[in-house]
Structures are given as structure tokens and as C-alpha cells.
Amino acid sequence: MARVTAPVRVLIVDDDAMVRAGLTMMLDGAGREPTIAVVGAVADGVDVPPAVSAHAPDVVLMDIRMPKVDGVTATRRLRRRPEAPEVIVLTTFDTDEYVLQALRAGASGFLLKDTPPDQLVDAVLRVASGDPILSPQVTRKLIDRVAVEAGAFERARAALDALSPRERDIVRAVASGRTNAQIAAELYVSVATVKSHLTRVLVKLELDNRTQVALLAHDAGWA
């Protein structure tokens, strides 16, 4: 997704009215540049397509457990749309076992529902700018909670074998949670070069974002 100019438009999807109200208050009251505007809030994944069409958000904060259409299904459907907004999964972590599925479906990352306001604002702004929220420590815990499906290791290795040596370096760095600037410094190349390599990696692997690259690297035993 191209870099978004202020205000960053956010759609909140959560079946708890108090959560919707709290997130709206935190984000609309951020008081920093670039500003954030909550353009809509809906209670179920079934309401996401019309809300996205009506409000054109840059980022969707997506709950996992909802009564009609869950966050995994809603994320998968949303990411198939042309110029789809980025998705940040909302989870309680200790009870949700569907976050990994949502990441595979194209979500750019996840946040705990008790994330402090400053971190929530920072996460939304980062994702809107194309920098997914990928915490290696927490992601690894989530991955460990969900059994890898049969054949994932072989499929991941076969896919990664198609990459060039430098592209594999990029994949390993992304899997470790490094930013483009950090990768550029470690590989002694420009940030633009890192972005170019990453774009080719996404095309070759037929993936949507860095988070999916990191999950593929985990399946292959690279992370």
C-alpha cells in the first residue's frame, strides 16, 4: 500500500460496544501528527465490506471473535479486494487461537486489547505507512500455540528455494522483526534497495505482506 497522508483513516470492528468506544476515544484523541480519524465502527465481520466501501479506511482494527463472521474470515475476504486497507488483528492473546490464521490471511500484525494508547497510536501510524507490527517474541509464542499444518515445512522450503541468496537474506531479516532501515544497515545497501528486494520476494512468493513472509520463514525453520 502506498504511504498514506494525514489523517490516517481507521475502521474499528469489534462486537463489544465498550471496546469500540474506548478505541475510538484513544485514536480520535491522539493529538499528534499525522493525525488519526476513526471513520467508522461496526460490530461484526459481516458489516466490514459495506463499511469499507462507505468509508475507505487506510487501516482496519479487526476483532477475532464475532458472532456472525469472525475476524479471520473477514480479513481474508477484505484482503482480496483491490487496494485493500491494512488489517491489525485485535486479540486477548491468552484465549484466542485464531491470530496466526488471520496473519496468514493477510493481516499486517496484531495488538493486544489492553495495548497502551501511545502504542496503539504508533501501531496504526506504522501500519498505515507500510511497516507491519511484527513482534518476534509474541509472534513466536502464537506460532508455538498453533500446530503447523501437514506439509507446511516442505511447501515453505520449496517456495524459499526459488529466491536468490540476497532475497533469502532479506527474508531472514524480516522474520527476525528488523525494519527496512535496520536491514539496509546490516546488508550495506540502501533502504530503497531493501524495498525493491522485498517487493520481488512478495511477488515470487505470491504473498501480501512482510508478516506472511515471516510466517513462511518460520514454517521453513528459518525463524
Side-chain angles (χ1 to χ4, degrees):
M1 183 180 69
R3 181 174 291 274
V4 176
T5 57
V8 174
R9 299 167 62 83
V10 176
L11 172 68
I12 296 170
V13 185
D14 197 291
D15 63 344
D16 188 321
M18 292 187 65
V19 171
R20 295 197 302 272
L23 290 171
T24 299
M25 183 181 304
M26 282 191 287
L27 293 173
D28 272 345
R32 52 187 281 187
E33 296 293 337
T35 57
I36 294 174
V38 176
V39 295
V42 297
D44 196 278
V46 72
D47 302 315
V48 170
V52 169
S53 296
H55 302 296
D58 303 306
V59 177
V60 176
L61 292 180
M62 183 81 73
D63 189 17
I64 285 290
R65 296 173 182 247
M66 293 178 286
K68 295 180 181 178
V69 175
D70 62 73
V72 175
T73 302
T75 296
R76 184 178 298 110
R77 292 173 179 173
L78 180 58
R79 293 298 298 169
R80 291 172 180 166
R81 295 168 62 117
E83 300 183 2
E86 300 294 342
V87 176
I88 300 177
V89 174
L90 296 174
T91 176
T92 54
F93 178 61
D94 288 334
T95 58
D96 291 337
E97 297 183 354
Y98 304 110
V99 177
L100 182 58
Q101 297 174 44
L103 296 177
R104 293 191 188 281
S108 293
F110 61 88
L111 291 174
L112 303 184
K113 287 191 175 181
D114 59 356
T115 297
D118 285 350
Q119 292 181 26
L120 174 64
V121 171
D122 182 64
V124 170
L125 297 180
R126 283 178 55 191
V127 166
S129 297
D131 186 13
I133 303 303
L134 180 62
S135 169
Q137 296 82 5
V138 181
T139 299
R140 189 166 295 112
K141 290 179 181 178
L142 281 169
I143 290 171
D144 290 342
R145 286 172 59 92
V146 182
V148 176
E149 62 269 22
F153 176 82
E154 291 78 9
R155 289 195 299 272
R157 281 296 178 96
L160 295 171
D161 282 346
L163 303 181
S164 69
R166 180 43 58 94
E167 289 167 348
R168 293 175 193 174
D169 291 338
I170 297 291
V171 168
R172 287 188 172 92
V174 168
S176 70
R178 289 175 174 79
T179 65
N180 287 344
Q182 291 170 330
I183 296 171
E186 291 181 4
L187 299 181
Y188 301 102
V189 297
S190 68
V191 172
T193 298
V194 172
K195 291 181 178 179
S196 178
H197 281 306
L198 183 56
T199 296
R200 287 197 294 272
V201 166
L202 291 173
V203 171
K204 285 185 178 181
L205 299 178
E206 299 182 347
L207 299 176
D208 292 325
N209 57 45
R210 298 163 67 108
T211 305
Q212 291 176 325
V213 170
L215 293 172
L216 187 70
H218 174 271
D219 287 350
W222 286 16

